[in-house]
Amino acid sequence: MKYSNLHTHTTFSDGVGTVRENIESAIAKNMISLGFSDHSFTECDPSYCMTPEKYSEYIKEVRALTSEYDGRLKVFLGLEKDYYSEGDDSEFDYIIASAHYINKNGRCYPIDHTRAQQEQCVREVFGGNIVDMAKCYFEMMVKHVEKTKPTFIGHFDVITKFSYMPEEDWEYIKAATESLEECLKTCRYLEFNTGGISRGYKTFPYPNRFLLERIKELGGKILLGSDSHDPKNLDFFFDESVKILKETGFDSISVFNGKGFDDVEI
């Protein structure tokens, strides 16, 4: 089947490909559409994201190439918005709600950059209690989704990236599941994110299997997202992801049409 990806990073934030290079790669991969979602500005860590001054340039370039490639590829303008980001989102076609930091005691701790930084956060903020960190993260995701009212939720359990979280612990499962259930009350759409696999950290997309099954039970909707930082990874692990979704009981995926989502049979 032909794929779409809405989770794409470029040289405007922490990606290695330009907007045009990603579009050309999507066309070569016979994709039906591509959305750009560079990182919104986070004051606590400007190293990976767009600066406020870059927003207008980003918007202008994506819109110009949307027109240039009209008829060859549908191109959408999005933004991956962090919990700690502020600003006007009205110029974007869609918003992804994601969280990349825990900000405590006047310090911003990255939660998906390195395992060492995760361990430091658990040690310094939560006294070594890893489940307390997970609870804090999942509570933050609920607040983020309720406040942002995103188009869809990005890499819901990204804190599992380094296989450090106790995913079989009942307290962890309870915190993750309750957070998911609350988030679904505001936003029905979550991505099945393959970015952890393309980077060599995981063998299963976000969210994990028990959360994916719960999404199905509650009538949530799934779209594919590669969280691509390199044009070659725009559709990474998508065939395999469709197989997993079918095995879980999904019979369709959601594909963005510019205003909302269409259900596409798988």
Side-chain angles (χ1 to χ4, degrees), residues 110-265:
I111 57 176
D112 66 336
H113 291 192
T114 69
R115 175 162 174 157
Q117 288 173 322
Q118 264 197 355
E119 291 173 339
Q120 182 184 22
C121 182
V122 171
R123 184 173 62 252
E124 295 183 1
V125 178
F126 301 99
N129 190 323
I130 192 169
V131 173
D132 281 352
M133 178 190 172
K135 288 178 179 178
C136 177
Y137 167 80
F138 285 119
E139 289 169 2
M140 182 169 60
M141 281 303 299
V142 174
K143 294 175 184 176
H144 189 18
V145 170
E146 289 177 345
K147 178 182 178 182
T148 305
K149 295 179 174 54
T151 312
F152 67 94
I153 301 168
H155 46 56
F156 179 75
D157 56 349
V158 73
I159 55 171
T160 66
K161 181 176 180 177
F162 306 110
S163 302
Y164 182 44
M165 289 294 128
E167 295 182 72
E168 297 181 358
D169 183 285
W170 74 268
E171 285 189 90
Y172 175 89
I173 294 171
K174 182 173 184 288
T177 303
E178 288 180 351
S179 172
L180 173 68
E181 291 170 354
E182 287 301 309
C183 286
L184 282 169
K185 293 177 182 178
T186 302
C187 179
R188 297 177 63 208
Y189 296 91
L190 293 92
E191 68 170 347
F192 203 37
N193 181 303
T194 64
I197 304 173
S198 64
R199 293 167 183 74
Y201 292 109
K202 293 176 65 70
T203 58
F204 194 88
Y206 312 110
N208 70 17
R209 194 176 293 278
F210 77 77
L211 291 170
L212 186 65
E213 291 172 350
R214 189 62 178 145
I215 293 168
K216 177 66 175 65
E217 290 171 358
L218 294 174
K221 298 287 189 175
I222 289 290
L223 57 147
L224 299 179
S226 68
D227 200 349
S228 173
H229 288 66
D230 188 313
K232 71 174 184 283
N233 290 331
L234 292 175
D235 59 352
F236 189 88
F237 206 74
F238 277 12
D239 287 340
E240 297 87 343
S241 295
V242 167
K243 182 178 179 181
I244 293 169
L245 292 171
K246 285 182 177 179
E247 292 170 351
T248 309
F250 290 91
D251 56 16
S252 65
I253 56 173
S254 297
V255 175
F256 191 63
N257 60 28
K259 295 183 179 179
F261 290 96
D262 298 318
D263 289 334
V264 175
E265 184 177 350

Side-chain angles (χ1 to χ4, degrees), residues 23-36:
I23 290 174
E24 290 288 349
S25 178
I27 291 172
K29 292 175 179 295
N30 201 30
M31 297 177 71
I32 58 173
S33 59
L34 181 66
F36 291 96

